[in-house]
Amino acid sequence: MIIVLRFLILGLVVLGLSACGTKGKLKSPSQIEVMEAKKKAQAEKKARSEEDIEDVTLPQTDTDTLKKPAETAETPKEPK
């Protein structure tokens, strides 16, 4: 009975430690620097592409000029 209890406790400890593990492999400082440089380059590239999109503006149109002449001119009222 004591042996079963010991294995049960050992199993729970192992499960607890595995649940608190790290995500993925541990990284060396040089690997972290390379990853940060890649992220920074991607962020700069995204910012440049957004600036290019903002620089291209379409000409503004006046809504009054888009109306047909019949809509803008007043129609005469017919006498009763």
Side-chain angles (χ1 to χ4, degrees):
M1 182 72 176
I2 294 176
I3 295 174
V4 173
L5 184 61
R6 285 184 180 176
F7 279 116
L8 180 65
I9 292 173
L10 178 64
L12 290 175
V13 169
V14 169
L15 285 175
L17 290 175
S18 67
C20 298
T22 61
K23 290 181 6 181
K25 296 180 181 178
L26 295 176
K27 308 262 188 278
S28 67
S30 61
Q31 289 174 325
I32 293 172
E33 290 174 3
V34 170
M35 289 172 54
E36 288 177 355
K38 285 182 182 179
K39 287 180 183 179
K40 186 176 180 181
Q42 288 176 350
E44 289 175 358
K45 183 178 179 182
K46 185 177 178 182
R48 275 189 265 127
S49 67
E50 287 177 359
E51 287 176 3
D52 291 342
I53 291 172
E54 290 175 1
D55 289 342
V56 177
T57 56
L58 297 175
Q60 299 294 324
T61 57
D62 190 13
T63 56
D64 293 334
T65 59
L66 296 177
K67 291 181 181 178
K68 295 179 183 176
E71 293 176 355
T72 57
E74 292 184 20
T75 55
K77 295 181 181 178
E78 295 181 15
K80 291 184 181 181

